[in-house]
């Protein structure tokens, strides 16, 4: 009972100002009410709604990031995230994830991990329970198991791996599209955090790591500036440190949307692919502004505050 009433008090202290600001119509790309959650793709709205509820209840921002992304991993949304995501060339999923907190620039990441149900949780455990930032493959799985994280057996994968190798499949398999959940949070105290999770490019070579677990590529968070996340063809993000670039562009004064667009122009200007990059970015800044940009497709992303949760769209950038 006591617990309930203190929780209710905490909730009303947290919610009232938020509702007031939402009623005041602070919903535009110019200035958002906080807390604010922005993520990639329409399925991001599922994650945002979970994350914003946590933030409104006063839970830590990293809990909000993790809880939102866990749900996308659980549902394997778009067949692109979690163990139900796109298989690699040998027919099984290898997952990538990372998490980063603004204060202290703390971060954790796992790459090419097999049979772990929630790689975002494994990434957070790397950040909180080791002196490292990134664990890969078998070591990442061993660590996740040692932390008691939910897993499935991978023994049956050995047969798949052997069959793939025995058939001389050294070349890259058929590539299929894929989506990544990147989720950015500005909490009620204006601290930033973010996370990212994916099964990566369908048909990728076993062992391939994409941009998502690489800090500065699939995700970057800077407590002084804001945060950025990426989705799309990881190779075309990680060769250019895409999200680090966006954060630096915001630091120099650009609006998050302009920073995302400028990053795509810069990458396109030096990449042989030009604008055929198949990449999309989202970003938020410390003022509670947000934006997104896409190289060559219409890109839906999810934006959520206490008062509203919606899917927005950006058209491909206008080529220079
Ligand atoms: N952006 C996810 C990947 O390329 O793996």
């Amino acid at each position: 009972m006591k617990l309930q009433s203190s929780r209710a008090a905490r909730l009303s202290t947290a919610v009232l100002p938020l509702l007031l600001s939402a009623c005041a119509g602070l919903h535009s790309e110019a200035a958002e009410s906080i807390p604010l959650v922005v993520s990639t793709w329409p399925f991001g709205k599922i994650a945002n709604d979970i994350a914003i509820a946590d933030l409104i209840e006063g839970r830590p921002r990293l809990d909000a990031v993790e809880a939102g992304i866990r749900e996308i991993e659980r549902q394997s949304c778009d067949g692109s995230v979690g163990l139900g995501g796109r298989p690699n060339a040998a027919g099984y999923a290898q997952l990538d994830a990372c998490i980063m907190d603004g204060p202290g620039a703390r971060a954790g990441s796992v790459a090419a991990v097999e049979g772990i149900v929630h790689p975002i949780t494994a990434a957070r455990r790397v950040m909180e329970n080791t002196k490292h930032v990134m664990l890969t493959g078998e070591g990442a799985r061993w660590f996740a198991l040692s932390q008691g994280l939910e897993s499935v057996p991978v023994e049956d994968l050995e047969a798949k791996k052997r069959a793939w190798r025995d058939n001389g499949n050294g070349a890259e398999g058929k590539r299929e599209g894929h989506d990544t959940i990147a989720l950015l949070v500005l909490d009620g105290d204006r601290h930033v955090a973010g996370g990212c999770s994916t099964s990566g490019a369908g048909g990728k070579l076993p062992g391939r790591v994409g941009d998502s677990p690489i800090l500065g590529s699939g995700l970057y968070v800077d407590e002084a500036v804001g945060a950025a996340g990426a989705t799309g063809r990881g190779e075309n993000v990680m060769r250019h440190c895409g999200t680090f670039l966006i954060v630096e562009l915001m630091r120099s004064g650009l609006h998050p949307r302009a920073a995302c667009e400028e990053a795509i122009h810069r990458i396109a200007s030096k990449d042989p692919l030009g604008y055929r990059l198949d990449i999309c970015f989202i970003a938020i800044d410390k003022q509670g502004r947000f934006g997104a940009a896409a190289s060559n497709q219409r890109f839906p992303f999810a934006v959520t505050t206490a008062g509203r949760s919606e899917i927005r769209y950006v058209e491909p950038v206008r080529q220079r």
Side-chain angles (χ1 to χ4, degrees):
M1 188 65 185
K2 193 168 173 214
L3 190 69
Q4 271 177 351
S5 53
S6 74
R7 187 176 160 117
R10 197 156 47 96
L11 195 58
S12 65
T13 326
V15 169
L16 266 178
L18 300 170
L19 288 179
L20 287 174
S21 65
C23 292
L26 291 177
H27 193 85
S28 73
E29 288 192 23
E32 282 300 322
S33 62
I34 59 169
L36 167 68
V37 186
V38 178
S39 65
T40 50
W41 305 113
F43 60 64
K45 185 173 175 304
I46 300 169
N48 287 12
D49 290 344
I50 291 169
I52 203 82
D54 275 3
L55 293 170
I56 289 169
E57 289 206 357
R59 296 207 183 95
R61 62 192 164 277
L62 288 174
D63 287 6
V65 170
E66 183 185 353
I69 292 179
R70 277 176 69 97
E71 181 58 19
I72 306 304
E73 291 173 342
R74 194 188 68 76
Q75 292 190 25
S76 283
C77 288
D78 277 9
S80 282
V81 183
L83 285 175
R86 302 270 197 287
N88 62 15
Y92 58 95
Q94 288 186 314
L95 307 179
D96 296 338
C98 76
I99 193 163
M100 187 164 188
D101 196 26
R106 298 159 68 230
S109 139
V110 290
V113 65
E114 295 168 15
I116 297 301
V117 178
H118 291 298
I120 189 68
T121 300
R124 186 172 177 186
R125 297 290 179 93
V126 171
M127 177 179 79
E128 293 181 338
N129 295 348
T130 79
K131 56 187 177 187
H132 307 303
V133 169
M134 184 178 213
L135 295 178
T136 65
E138 197 179 329
R141 177 175 165 81
W142 176 86
F143 170 73
L145 294 180
S146 76
Q147 293 284 305
L149 302 191
E150 198 180 341
S151 64
V152 297
V154 293
E155 286 68 43
D156 56 331
L157 296 184
E158 290 307 319
K160 281 189 176 178
K161 290 176 190 175
R162 259 197 313 277
W164 179 74
R165 283 194 297 262
D166 292 350
N167 288 336
N169 289 315
E172 194 170 4
K174 182 170 156 258
R175 293 190 73 133
E176 296 167 19
H178 63 285
D179 304 329
T180 295
I181 176 83
L183 182 144
L184 312 175
V185 157
L186 179 66
D187 74 10
D189 296 322
R190 292 193 188 272
H191 296 304
V192 277
C196 204
S197 183
T198 188
S199 55
K204 65 188 179 183
L205 286 177
R208 178 265 192 188
V209 172
D211 60 321
S212 302
I214 310 285
L215 299 157
S217 289
L219 175 78
Y220 197 64
V221 177
D222 187 315
E223 179 66 1
V225 178
T231 181
R233 186 65 60 90
E235 283 75 6
N236 299 338
V237 175
M238 61 205 291
R239 287 182 293 119
H240 304 282
C241 300
T243 56
F244 182 77
L245 173 59
I246 290 168
V247 168
E248 289 309 304
L249 290 165
M250 290 195 292
R251 193 193 307 280
S252 70
L254 291 194
H255 183 285
R257 186 181 52 196
C260 292
E261 289 170 355
E262 180 61 23
I264 286 177
H265 290 309
R266 286 203 193 176
I267 294 171
S269 72
K270 57 184 171 178
D271 200 293
L273 289 167
Y275 285 88
R276 289 176 290 110
L277 295 162
D278 296 330
I279 58 175
C280 312
F281 293 119
I282 54 171
I284 60 173
D285 69 12
K286 291 279 281 187
Q287 289 121 279
R289 301 180 302 176
F290 67 87
S295 57
N296 50 333
Q297 69 171 97
R298 190 165 195 249
F299 171 49
F301 63 107
V303 181
T304 303
T305 60
R308 200 153 151 179
S309 188
E310 63 187 16
I311 294 161
R312 294 192 170 209
Y313 295 84
V314 286
E315 300 301 327
V317 292
R318 193 183 292 261
Q319 298 188 14
R320 284 182 183 157

